[in-house]
Amino acid sequence: MADAFENIFGQPRVRDFLRASVRGGHVSQAYLFCGPAGSNKTAAAYALAQAYLCPKGAKGPRGGLCGACDACSRIARRKHPDVRYYAPEGAGGYLVEQIREIVSDVSYAPIQAKSKVYILDRVDMLGTAAANAFLKTLEEPPANVMIVLLGRTRESVLPTIVSRCQVVPFRHIPATEAAGIIRQNTGASIETARIAIEACSGSITRACEFLKSNDSLAFRRGVVDAMSRLATADDWDIIELAAGLVRAAKAPLDDVRAALEAELSENADFLAKSVIRQIEARNKRQITAKTSQALHQVFSIASSWLRDVMATCAGTPEFIVNVDVKAQIEMAAARTDEARAAAALAALRESDEAISYNVSPETCIDAMLFEVREVLYGSSRAH
Ligand SMILES: [Zn+2]
């Protein structure tokens, strides 16, 4: 029977391990999930949160692995107030101040459930000072708190953190297998699945959501069209293209913001002022995280397009992923060469890494388009 853990695609050993821990009643209070981007760590963390917070508990009919009640569905929609997700807020990683906030938050009582789950992404970006502020909490969390840390590799996480956690290794999921999983779950063709997976930086879970949303597909089309137009775009064209992309990237955030505000005002009568302030702060962080996610998506789609141009220049067009815009990719390839495409890709990767949460989306998309045009077509650009 399907349960919360079924959604941990491509990681059968992780799924079996977590399921057995929950069924056997020996869950740990501190986990470290280690694996490359796109290995489904976040989905696994939310599945574990469902199993841990579900009011049906481990004594339920399916060993607590419900996945269907109100609490479980809130967690799946990432709307449960007792499941907190954090990512580094500083450009260089977690800020000590951010960790102090989390530590103090841990001591508050849960809002809706009997327990709380803290998910900290990218703990490979947890420096010594921030880690030190966290060690005591990680070692002895309150009895009703579970902490799930996500990191790229075991070696990239500070040993003081690793030694206090149950480490769960995640395997790299090969692209062809990932596309197969997406096809199974969405009915999309393998070609479309590959486009989605590249647009979502390899995340299977996000690629599935992406394919279910017409807005996302239109957004992706907007980015590849903008990339295709760079060859003949003048400065004003680029400013307009960037503005269009920013509008498209921000549009879904308005819905998110409205939904969060509606949910808060619905519950406002029942909640203490301090709790409302907490939720408001969390909502604000969620919007910030979503904005940066949308920006990264622009970069992922642009990178995918550039890799296709590079493959075409290299005489291996069979590797093109964005097959629906093959003609535009060939036109771009005819105006540049493999080395310049590789340089543009490298430049793009650098500016993607430089996206700090405080940079304005307008500026960074603008700069990215100007830079790619310059590197790809340079002075040979047509006017
Ligand atoms: Zn449930």
Side-chain angles (χ1 to χ4, degrees):
M1 202 181 241
D3 63 37
F5 294 122
E6 280 308 311
N7 294 331
I8 311 178
F9 302 127
Q11 301 289 353
R13 298 187 73 175
V14 171
R15 196 166 57 201
D16 292 350
F17 173 78
L18 293 179
R19 190 180 273 151
S21 310
V22 170
R23 288 203 172 141
H26 39 77
V27 289
S28 166
Q29 277 189 273
Y31 285 93
L32 171 59
F33 290 0
C34 288
S39 57
N40 261 332
K41 301 183 297 292
T42 315
Y46 278 94
L48 183 59
Q50 286 182 322
Y52 189 60
L53 294 197
C54 178
K56 300 196 171 158
K59 291 187 185 69
R62 277 185 276 146
L65 305 177
C66 151
C69 69
D70 181 55
C72 284
S73 98
R74 272 173 189 272
I75 295 169
R77 285 180 287 126
R78 319 234 157 141
K79 291 247 165 85
H80 198 295
D82 295 317
V83 180
R84 311 286 171 80
Y85 172 90
Y86 300 89
E89 277 172 15
Y94 279 96
L95 308 168
V96 177
E97 179 195 317
Q98 187 186 3
I99 293 296
R100 288 213 180 99
E101 249 182 69
I102 297 173
V103 166
S104 105
D105 194 272
V106 166
S107 64
Y108 290 120
I111 296 172
Q112 275 175 5
K114 289 200 168 106
S115 315
K116 292 194 291 183
V117 176
Y118 287 80
I119 301 170
L120 274 68
D121 207 348
R122 294 304 305 268
V123 290
D124 42 300
M125 294 174 78
L126 192 59
T128 312
N132 284 342
F134 195 52
L135 290 184
K136 197 168 168 292
T137 304
L138 190 60
E139 196 161 63
E140 292 176 339
N144 60 348
V145 167
M146 177 189 276
I147 298 168
V148 185
L149 308 178
L150 316 179
R152 291 286 162 91
T153 63
R154 188 192 176 106
E155 294 70 33
S156 61
V157 180
L158 288 171
T160 47
I161 296 287
V162 179
S163 66
R164 286 166 172 81
C165 297
Q166 163 74 59
V167 179
V168 183
F170 282 61
R171 65 189 268 269
H172 165 73
I173 305 172
T176 44
E177 188 185 333
I181 295 170
I182 292 167
R183 180 172 65 172
Q184 232 175 36
N185 284 279
T186 62
S189 68
I190 288 288
E191 288 75 27
T192 311
R194 285 174 65 199
I195 290 175
I197 205 151
E198 293 224 338
C200 300
S201 333
S203 163
I204 296 177
T205 315
R206 280 201 279 127
C208 289
E209 284 164 22
F210 182 86
L211 287 171
K212 288 176 193 155
S213 151
N214 287 329
D215 290 347
S216 300
L217 293 168
F219 176 59
R220 174 254 165 195
R221 190 62 201 232
V223 179
V224 289
D225 284 346
M227 297 303 287
S228 301
R229 288 185 51 195
L230 285 182
T232 52
D234 67 20
D235 292 1
W236 277 111
D237 293 336
I238 288 195
I239 289 168
E240 275 163 24
L241 287 173
L245 289 182
V246 170
R247 266 197 309 279
K250 278 184 165 175
L253 297 177
D254 294 337
D255 294 344
V256 174
R257 191 177 289 112
L260 289 172
E261 278 165 10
E263 198 170 341
L264 184 59
S265 66
E266 224 172 81
N267 295 313
D269 295 345
F270 311 105
L271 298 173
K273 279 223 165 63
S274 63
V275 174
I276 291 179
R277 268 198 302 277
Q278 254 184 67
I279 297 179
E280 277 171 349
R282 185 170 51 88
N283 288 353
K284 203 175 154 201
R285 280 199 300 270
Q286 242 182 56
I287 294 285
T288 314
K290 291 246 184 230
T291 308
S292 119
Q293 197 179 316
L295 287 182
H296 284 302
Q297 191 155 49
V298 172
F299 282 80
S300 300
I301 297 166
S303 300
S304 174
W305 182 90
L306 270 172
R307 274 194 299 273
D308 287 348
V309 171
M310 202 164 87
T312 310
C313 291
T316 51
E318 64 272 22
F319 291 127
I320 289 183
V321 168
N322 297 284
V323 283
D324 57 333
V325 289
K326 197 163 182 237
Q328 285 103 304
I329 287 165
E330 281 165 353
M331 272 162 60
R335 291 170 179 269
T336 184
D337 58 43
E338 194 184 345
R340 283 189 279 174
L345 197 56
L348 206 115
R349 196 172 302 128
E350 239 167 66
S351 33
D352 183 32
E353 278 166 16
I355 294 177
S356 77
Y357 291 169
N358 298 321
V359 83
S360 92
E362 286 82 358
T363 324
C364 86
I365 292 183
D366 228 78
M368 183 271 277
L369 292 179
F370 274 112
E371 178 148 26
V372 170
R373 183 187 64 175
E374 178 60 31
V375 177
L376 210 50
Y377 307 113
S379 49
S380 67
R381 198 159 49 80
H383 288 277

